[in-house]
Amino acid sequence: MDLDEQFSLQHLLFFDRQCRCCHKVKNLLDDFYLTRKDRGFLPSAYSYECKECTIERIKSNRKKNESPFDWQYPDW
């Protein structure tokens, strides 16, 4: 019996990862962003924060328009 017949590459790689924010286990390839495009598709190239949590974090950290004046271009 050959070892290649018993195991495939998919059995050796992790395809599920737990998000560090929501702590849910999600699919690595579908639910996590790549950190760098040039790092390939190894599991270590994906972030530890899921796409949903990343979007919420970006939306909550955006700078709010807190100007006391509602500035508009003057109508000459």
Side-chain angles (χ1 to χ4, degrees):
M1 206 161 213
D2 192 14
L3 272 176
D4 293 336
E5 293 174 6
Q6 293 179 5
F7 295 104
S8 67
L9 186 60
Q10 293 179 356
H11 290 104
L12 298 176
L13 298 177
F14 298 108
F15 284 107
D16 291 331
R17 179 174 283 178
Q18 183 178 9
C19 176
R20 68 178 181 174
C21 296
C22 64
H23 303 290
K24 294 180 184 175
V25 176
K26 298 183 179 184
N27 188 342
L28 180 67
L29 302 177
D30 295 333
D31 296 325
F32 291 89
Y33 286 118
L34 277 171
T35 55
R36 300 272 193 275
K37 291 182 181 178
D38 62 344
R39 294 192 62 190
F41 295 102
L42 297 174
S44 62
Y46 288 88
S47 69
Y48 287 91
E49 184 179 37
C50 69
K51 289 181 180 180
E52 295 172 4
C53 292
T54 303
I55 292 170
E56 290 298 318
R57 177 177 53 87
I58 297 299
K59 285 176 17 180
S60 68
N61 289 337
R62 278 195 181 149
K63 186 175 180 180
K64 309 282 191 285
N65 188 6
E66 298 174 359
S67 174
F69 304 106
D70 187 19
W71 189 87
Q72 295 177 355
Y73 194 79
D75 187 20
W76 304 56

